[in-house]
Amino acid sequence: MAVAPRTPPKKRDWSWRSQAFRGLLYQVIAVLLIGGVVWWLASNTAENMRIRGIKSGFDFLTQPAGFDIGESLFSFDSNNPYWKAFLVGIGNTLRVAIIGIILTTILGTMVGVGRFSRNGLVRGICYGYVELFRNVPVLLQLLMWYLIFTELLPDISEAKNIGPVFLSKGGLTYPGPVWESGHLWILGGLIAGAAAAWAYRRWATTQFEATGKLRSMFWVPLIIVLLAGAAGWVAGGMPNQWQIPTKGEFAIEGGSSLTPEFLAVLFGLVLYTAAFVAEVVRSGIQSVPRGQSEAAQALGLAKGQEMQKVLLPQALRVIIPPMTNQYLNLTKNSSLAVAIGYPDVVSISNTALNQTGRAVECIAIIMLVYLTTSLSTSFFMNWYNSKSAIKER
Amino acid sequence: MADTIIFQSKPAREAPIKTEGLVPWVKTNLFANWQSTVTTLVVGALLLYYVPQFINWAILTATTTTNADACRADGVGACWGVVKEKYRLIIFGRYPFEEQWRPLVATLLMVGLLVASCTRYFWSKWLIIGWVVVLSAFFILMYGSLFGYFDVFGLTKVTTDRWGGLPLTIMLATLSIVLCFPVAICVALGRRSNLPAIRTFCTIYVELIRGVPLISVLFMASFMFPLFMPQGVTVDVLIRVVVGVTLFAAAYMAEVIRGGLQAMPKGQTEAAASLGLSYWQTQFKIILPQALAMVVPGIMNNFIGLFKDTSLVYIVSLYELTGSLGLALNSDADWRPYKLEGYLFIVSIYFVFCFAMSRYSLWIEKQLNKSKLR
Amino acid sequence: MTTQTQDNIIVFDKVNKWYGNNFHVLRDIDLNVRRGERIVICGPSGSGKSTLIRCINRLEEHQEGRLVVDGTELSDDVKAIDKIRKEVGMVFQQFNLFPHLTVLENLTLSPMYVGKVPKKEAEEKAMVQLKRVRIAEQADKYPLQLSGGQQQRVAIARALCLTPKIMLFDEPTSALDPEMIKEVLDVMVAMADQGITMICVTHEMGFAKAVADRVIFMDQGQIVEQNTPNEFFNNPQTDRSKDFLSKILGH
Ligand SMILES: Nc1ncnc2c1ncn2[C@@H]1O[C@H](COP(=O)(O)OP(=O)(O)OP(=O)(O)O)[C@@H](O)[C@H]1O
Ligand SMILES: [Mg+2]
């Protein structure tokens, strides 16, 4: 007796008083209003630029930059064009952001877990750390580190050292490997090892499902990767040349080094963001109801299994979204490097802006760089969240 | 009857192993097992090594004389004289020395109302009127008049380029958070509207602003804003920065408010509709009062963030706390070497404010949870 | 047709509704409700009962067919919707009181802002309604301080404050404990004597027998059977209603 399923008709009555019409009207008004404001601003800008004789356009990007940059991932001099200068800036931003994110995660997780330590001293220190560092502006922290690294450390000639690692006003100098083509083999070995480890995990999982025999899912793959890397190193002819820095009269020679600017930005960002990450980790752990752990224990799961199969998956769902936010915050805060002269994309743009007067273009470049990073991250996160959300009614 | 068993309650005994008091606390928290003991010993040793050194530097060998030469002597630790000598300059920036009571009073007014605004007890129409009055009073006190009016009090004019220090920090944060509210509410409602054009605009606005760092917005305010205005119109840099920070804060605030809106059960809107309330009546009478009350802690956190972020205006040459410290020390060769002490001074100011606010927000959160359980 | 609309306060004429594109939730509903008639709707979960009565005050919109409420055809027209909502009161399963307003404020809100009644008058009327549902002494409390049954009675009073011609009830007692059910049903029975048109989704058979003029049984978005309560409960006509009744009366 059920009527065969029909699909709804497409109809809208377009009377003056219909909701549909009103909705359209409001939207048209909004579009006109916003369009009008934008047009007004744009025409003012065009007019002002005409009167003040400001040129516009991105043609300046191909002209020589005319300034040097203190540190760069690739060689750069003042004859290189602007676009290359911007690339240097983007590279520097990414460098400090990526290293910062890794260190922040490690430190923040340690502090966050430390808030649950059985040891009262550790708990107290973690609490104090979080409260102290998150309640002071990050810019102030950057400036303080910069002051410490450039004025309070000893001069280069009296650099402090632990073995071959030197610390002074000139930055941090440490032994670095002499790069040879042989090192590429290590990389190749690691990649091959990762593939093998992945294959092993697949095999172990199917074996476990078929026979119930448990195999290590962490240590064995790790050892596979490390062994493969070592094999690559041997295959590459065992390159083992290191550049050891030595203290000269006026400078520390040889080795790899980090500038005080880089160190100040890195310390400032990491210590500040880690305080927030610690809170994220703490609330993630707290968000898993006690009953979950008790239920897992009642089912007889081992401590490690309980953590890996029950607690972590739930805590991570809570942790990951705000954690990504903190990563983005760190990246955006790296723009404060401009205050102490670390040549990130903002300070390069700032210099370019002052030299060429192309305010609109230079600010647009800054915004574009950060927007790309943020939006692509948040698209990825949305996809990830919808994939990992616990299905509910 | 004789063989009835008479139940005799046993008297309570003390626990054989004590779990309360100092000694048990030390035992469970510091020496529970060998791992904990090792940690305690290592961490304790580090603390015993560094803390006395710090105390030695900061207190025991520190000087408070306002004489830079005394600081240069051997074996002298922290030189707090720099704070004693310069604190007026650091806190009030370049504001005329004899008039500094004005920013002091103005700031206290603002902080007082801010605290009141977070308390449910004061939520009424009067709060909005209170803000209008206090903001006007703030400007009259600081500037000497309000847009040229009200200069009846006979206060000397102090132009905005001389404003600085803590009052500027507090003003920037407060003004932006108060002004961003109407914008944020509209944007939050817009993001949940079922009109696609409006929803799209609001989404783009929020994502755009949240995708870029504040510094780029400040650059826009200081370099591009003048280009946006019609020929001949100039806007004070302070106003430009306030506009920039407000638009920036509005995007974040909108997300906080949207969180509250999303947490509202659908039944509330339906009940309002079944009573015949219009869209705006529903939002203002039913939805927003509940949603905003729910997100007060989020709003407070935003405010704390904004309070810290105002330090960035230093990069576009406004002399808030960080800037005025530079102002006080950079050009004074005598005191310049003691900038660290100066930094520690403003660090402690920021810390006191932010820590107090975060405690307060925690307290409000607890109150909210309590009222939910009622 | 004209005579029909005069005695019939609600007319469903081949009303169809879909959720999304494929879920056909109301199928060719034909239903006339006389002025002052008291109707109980029952049927299995998901059969579209809530959807049907929510169409009457346009919390849901139908896509096909005509739905006329008190002489006004419901369409996309904003004015029509405003008018209908003033004439139709609704009581929800989850009460949906506004927790940030006191009981009295809950009651005066709509008369003041929609009905444009002065505050004093609105409050007097509200107190009358509160007395009617027998909780006048709770006027200054907040909704969450009341018990479930009290909250639901406040919700009924709130709906009555607009002096509606039609009252809709969507399972008003199913979120309540047994002893509270009675206090709410008592209020509803008392209301039924006043001649207001009532449409009530409920599975309270006692209430249906005592009050309803007609019972409507729905399944799969269609009206399967309608009859007087006595006939329906004692002598159901279709296999579906028999099956349904045996389930709800079975224990
Ligand atoms: N907003 C919606 N979007 C999509 N499907 C919906 C929506 N609301 C209800 N439905 C579906 O429509 C069907 C009928 O819903 P309705 O709430 O009218 O049922 P009901 O008869 O009131 O059931 P119950 O007795 O459980 O309240 C159900 O299958 C439900 O899943
Ligand atoms: Mg229902």
Side-chain angles (χ1 to χ4, degrees):
Chain A
M1 87 159 259
V3 182
R6 286 194 277 148
T7 48
K10 276 211 184 78
K11 61 113 212 195
R12 277 269 175 246
D13 39 345
W14 285 100
S15 81
W16 150 246
R17 284 196 333 203
S18 71
Q19 278 180 322
F21 178 79
R22 294 279 169 97
L24 192 72
L25 191 71
Y26 296 145
Q27 297 186 61
V28 170
I29 293 175
V31 170
L32 288 180
L33 216 68
I34 294 169
V37 170
V38 169
W39 181 83
W40 182 70
L41 293 179
S43 67
N44 280 341
T45 309
E47 175 72 6
N48 278 319
M49 286 171 56
R50 197 181 55 76
I51 288 172
R52 297 185 200 177
I54 303 174
K55 286 208 214 88
S56 66
F58 286 94
D59 52 310
F60 74 99
L61 284 179
T62 51
Q63 293 159 10
F67 56 86
D68 281 314
I69 298 178
E71 58 190 295
S72 163
L73 291 177
F74 47 88
S75 69
F76 179 86
D77 65 63
S78 54
N79 294 325
N80 288 126
Y82 274 110
W83 63 264
K84 214 168 165 189
F86 279 109
L87 275 191
V88 171
I90 295 172
N92 281 335
T93 294
L94 289 181
R95 178 163 78 123
V96 77
I98 291 173
I99 298 178
I101 283 173
I102 295 172
L103 295 180
T104 299
T105 312
I106 297 172
L107 180 62
T109 310
M110 274 165 39
V111 175
V113 172
R115 299 278 308 261
F116 295 97
S117 165
R118 286 184 63 173
N119 189 300
L121 218 49
V122 173
R123 269 200 320 264
I125 287 177
C126 291
Y127 171 76
Y129 169 82
V130 168
E131 290 301 340
L132 184 61
F133 278 84
R134 72 172 177 172
N135 282 321
V136 175
V138 59
L139 177 65
L140 200 51
Q141 297 192 31
L142 286 188
L143 291 172
M144 282 185 76
W145 285 114
Y146 189 58
L147 183 81
I148 291 172
F149 282 120
T150 52
E151 302 204 1
L152 301 184
L153 283 182
D155 284 327
I156 295 179
S157 52
E158 291 150 25
K160 280 192 177 149
N161 68 316
I162 306 172
V165 179
F166 292 86
L167 187 62
S168 71
K169 278 182 186 170
L172 182 77
T173 314
Y174 55 92
V178 180
W179 291 110
E180 291 174 26
S181 56
H183 285 105
L184 278 180
W185 280 90
I186 299 182
L187 190 68
L190 287 177
I191 293 174
W198 180 77
Y200 166 82
R201 281 191 62 140
R202 286 282 302 258
W203 173 79
T205 312
T206 43
Q207 280 288 301
F208 167 66
E209 281 162 5
T211 65
K213 182 165 160 37
L214 263 179
R215 286 187 169 79
S216 167
M217 293 297 227
F218 178 74
W219 292 109
V220 175
L222 186 72
I223 289 169
I224 293 179
V225 172
L226 289 181
L227 281 182
W233 178 64
V234 174
M238 297 201 257
N240 61 354
Q241 288 271 330
W242 288 75
Q243 264 198 331
I244 311 288
T246 49
K247 188 146 65 172
E249 203 158 329
F250 301 107
I252 293 163
E253 285 146 13
S256 313
S257 66
L258 301 172
T259 62
E261 288 82 14
F262 176 82
L263 286 175
V265 175
L266 190 71
F267 268 63
L269 290 179
V270 167
L271 291 175
Y272 179 73
T273 319
F276 288 89
V277 167
E279 282 300 280
V280 167
V281 170
R282 183 178 70 93
S283 60
I285 294 175
Q286 265 177 351
S287 75
V288 183
R290 231 197 148 74
Q292 294 289 316
S293 161
E294 287 166 0
Q297 285 168 14
L299 288 173
L301 294 186
K303 205 84 197 149
Q305 290 169 327
E306 176 191 331
M307 201 64 192
Q308 192 196 342
K309 298 280 176 217
V310 180
L311 302 186
L312 262 188
Q314 296 187 55
L316 279 183
R317 278 199 183 84
V318 177
I319 288 175
I320 283 176
M323 193 78 135
T324 335
N325 248 340
Q326 290 308 327
Y327 291 165
L328 286 178
N329 280 349
L330 187 144
T331 313
K332 284 186 277 177
N333 281 337
S334 72
S335 62
L336 299 184
V338 67
I340 56 172
Y342 174 71
D344 77 321
V345 65
V346 176
S347 65
I348 300 276
S349 298
N350 201 19
T351 313
L353 189 157
N354 287 331
Q355 285 191 357
T356 64
R358 306 275 173 95
V360 181
E361 291 80 358
C362 290
I363 295 175
I365 290 178
I366 301 180
M367 292 193 156
L368 207 68
V369 169
Y370 283 101
L371 266 184
T372 323
T373 329
S374 311
L375 290 186
S376 48
T377 312
S378 67
F379 274 123
F380 173 76
M381 282 318 296
N382 285 345
W383 169 80
Y384 176 85
N385 278 340
S386 62
K387 213 189 73 166
S388 72
I390 291 179
K391 303 287 178 292
E392 289 182 66
R393 246 165 50 89
Chain B
M1 281 316 239
D3 43 347
T4 307
I5 300 169
I6 294 170
F7 169 74
Q8 267 194 330
S9 160
K10 288 183 184 141
R13 275 194 298 143
E14 278 192 6
I17 301 166
K18 299 245 182 335
T19 53
E20 282 157 11
L22 183 64
V23 176
W25 187 91
V26 167
K27 235 183 179 158
T28 49
N29 283 296
L30 298 180
F31 303 104
N33 50 22
W34 69 266
Q35 292 100 326
S36 184
T37 307
V38 170
T39 321
T40 305
L41 291 180
V42 172
V43 175
L46 285 176
L47 285 181
L48 278 182
Y49 183 71
Y50 282 108
V51 172
Q53 279 190 7
F54 178 77
I55 291 176
N56 197 29
W57 175 81
I59 300 169
L60 298 181
T61 60
T63 89
T64 51
T65 49
T66 53
N67 176 0
D69 293 331
C71 298
R72 278 182 241 287
D74 266 345
V76 171
C79 174
W80 300 116
V82 67
V83 175
K84 215 168 165 184
E85 172 88 7
K86 301 278 188 182
Y87 77 96
R88 293 280 284 261
L89 199 50
I90 297 176
I91 289 184
F92 293 111
R94 299 198 303 147
Y95 208 87
F97 194 81
E98 318 75 51
E99 304 282 344
Q100 285 177 356
W101 62 270
R102 283 159 57 182
L104 185 67
V105 172
T107 310
L108 287 179
L109 271 179
M110 205 124 140
V111 171
L113 192 57
L114 203 60
V115 171
S117 302
C118 298
T119 320
R120 222 190 186 136
Y121 180 74
F122 292 103
W123 288 2
S124 66
K125 277 201 278 297
W126 294 104
L127 202 58
I128 296 178
I129 298 171
W131 272 109
V132 173
V133 171
V134 164
L135 287 181
S136 316
F138 184 87
F139 281 102
I140 293 172
L141 276 170
M142 289 291 283
Y143 185 69
S145 75
L146 189 69
F147 304 118
Y149 303 104
F150 292 110
D151 40 3
V152 287
F153 301 101
L155 298 171
T156 40
K157 293 251 160 54
V158 181
T159 47
T160 54
D161 56 323
R162 307 206 55 177
W163 298 13
L166 190 57
L168 188 62
T169 299
I170 292 179
M171 184 203 87
L172 280 174
T174 313
L175 211 54
S176 326
I177 210 90
V178 172
L179 293 181
C180 87
F181 235 90
V183 185
I185 287 177
C186 292
V187 171
L189 290 176
R191 268 199 95 168
R192 291 169 53 79
S193 155
N194 46 20
L195 305 178
I198 290 174
R199 199 172 52 228
T200 314
F201 272 130
C202 294
T203 311
I204 290 178
Y205 172 72
V206 168
E207 295 301 330
L208 212 65
I209 296 279
R210 294 193 335 139
V212 300
L214 175 58
I215 188 70
S216 64
V217 176
L218 290 176
F219 276 162
M220 261 183 105
S222 72
F223 296 118
M224 275 164 74
F225 202 101
L227 294 178
F228 287 157
M229 288 294 114
Q231 203 51 43
V233 177
T234 52
V235 180
D236 192 292
V237 62
L238 194 64
I239 297 181
R240 297 198 309 244
V241 164
V242 168
V243 169
V245 178
T246 301
L247 292 178
F248 183 80
Y252 286 83
M253 186 68 97
E255 283 302 274
V256 172
I257 295 176
R258 190 167 72 107
L261 293 178
Q262 255 162 354
M264 291 292 300
K266 225 174 119 211
Q268 293 287 308
T269 324
E270 288 180 349
S274 81
L275 291 172
L277 296 184
S278 73
Y279 174 82
W280 292 108
Q281 283 173 337
T282 309
Q283 301 304 330
F284 279 104
K285 297 274 169 217
I286 309 298
I287 305 299
L288 280 173
Q290 297 182 61
L292 289 181
M294 224 183 295
V295 295
V296 168
I299 295 174
M300 290 283 291
N301 283 344
N302 243 355
F303 182 76
I304 299 174
L306 203 59
F307 187 81
K308 288 183 290 177
D309 277 350
T310 52
S311 56
L312 267 66
V313 301
Y314 151 73
I315 296 175
V316 292
S317 324
L318 282 181
Y319 298 107
E320 47 61 73
L321 266 182
T322 320
S324 62
L325 178 73
L327 205 65
L329 296 188
N330 283 357
S331 53
D332 192 334
D334 276 352
W335 291 111
R336 217 186 111 66
Y338 307 103
K339 208 168 177 184
L340 187 67
E341 285 86 340
Y343 273 136
L344 287 178
F345 176 56
I346 55 176
V347 160
S348 58
I349 293 179
Y350 273 115
F351 180 80
V352 167
F353 269 89
C354 295
F355 187 70
M357 285 190 283
S358 68
R359 290 284 109 174
Y360 187 49
S361 128
L362 270 186
W363 181 78
I364 291 179
E365 203 171 339
K366 276 213 189 95
Q367 300 300 96
L368 280 177
N369 287 343
K370 247 188 239 160
S371 72
K372 246 182 252 157
L373 291 179
R374 185 184 57 186
Chain C
M1 203 58 191
T2 45
T3 52
Q4 216 183 27
T5 39
Q6 261 164 21
D7 340 332
N8 288 337
I9 194 166
I10 302 172
V11 178
F12 280 84
D13 182 12
K14 290 246 173 304
V15 168
N16 279 285
K17 170 167 179 62
W18 289 260
Y19 281 124
N21 271 337
N22 303 314
F23 187 55
H24 196 172
V25 56
L26 294 183
R27 306 180 189 175
D28 286 336
I29 299 287
D30 279 316
L31 175 67
N32 294 333
V33 181
R34 272 178 287 110
R35 219 169 270 277
E37 193 176 17
R38 298 175 294 249
I39 289 183
V40 161
I41 303 179
C42 61
S45 183
S47 57
K49 306 179 296 288
S50 300
T51 310
L52 180 83
I53 69 165
R54 287 155 64 91
C55 279
I56 297 174
N57 66 349
R58 201 139 171 115
L59 285 181
E60 302 287 352
E61 56 184 80
H62 61 281
Q63 284 104 352
E64 229 179 60
R66 271 160 49 85
L67 172 52
V68 182
V69 179
D70 197 26
T72 311
E73 166 152 16
L74 284 183
S75 63
D76 212 17
D77 188 322
V78 265
K79 282 274 155 52
I81 298 172
D82 286 348
K83 174 166 175 285
I84 289 309
R85 293 215 170 130
K86 270 183 238 172
E87 292 178 1
V88 182
M90 183 159 189
V91 175
F92 300 84
Q93 179 177 2
Q94 300 296 342
F95 326 139
N96 291 346
L97 292 175
F98 305 131
H100 63 304
L101 303 178
T102 63
V103 167
L104 192 63
E105 286 167 341
N106 262 283
L107 265 69
T108 53
L109 182 74
S110 172
M112 278 167 60
Y113 290 96
V114 182
K116 305 274 183 282
V117 178
K119 183 170 178 186
K120 207 146 185 259
E121 200 178 312
E123 282 181 350
E124 281 162 12
K125 270 177 86 178
M127 288 311 293
V128 172
Q129 296 300 345
L130 280 181
K131 288 208 182 85
R132 226 169 123 183
V133 297
R134 297 194 288 276
I135 32 174
E137 69 283 0
Q138 315 276 18
D140 292 323
K141 286 202 181 163
Y142 284 90
L144 294 184
Q145 295 170 314
L146 304 181
S147 76
Q150 289 171 327
Q151 288 189 47
Q152 191 62 299
R153 285 187 280 151
V154 172
I156 294 175
R158 181 176 73 177
L160 286 173
C161 271
L162 276 176
T163 43
K165 297 181 180 162
I166 303 168
M167 281 288 281
L168 308 175
F169 294 86
D170 190 359
E171 309 204 28
T173 54
S174 49
L176 299 177
D177 294 341
E179 77 261 42
M180 296 178 186
I181 291 180
K182 186 171 175 318
E183 62 186 52
V184 171
L185 288 182
D186 285 348
V187 167
M188 289 170 61
V189 171
M191 217 171 81
D193 297 335
Q194 320 233 330
I196 204 169
T197 311
M198 281 171 70
I199 301 183
C200 184
V201 176
T202 185
H203 292 147
E204 294 294 331
M205 293 309 148
F207 174 76
K209 280 180 194 156
V211 168
D213 300 319
R214 189 162 29 141
V215 174
I216 288 175
F217 175 70
M218 285 186 72
D219 191 16
Q220 297 194 346
Q222 296 148 74
I223 296 181
V224 177
E225 190 177 337
Q226 33 184 322
N227 220 328
T228 59
N230 256 330
E231 274 296 299
F232 178 74
F233 290 120
N234 299 330
N235 186 16
Q237 302 292 315
T238 59
D239 55 335
R240 282 188 193 249
S241 46
K242 276 181 194 150
D243 185 40
F244 177 73
L245 283 175
S246 74
K247 270 185 201 141
I248 62 169
L249 300 175
H251 45 90

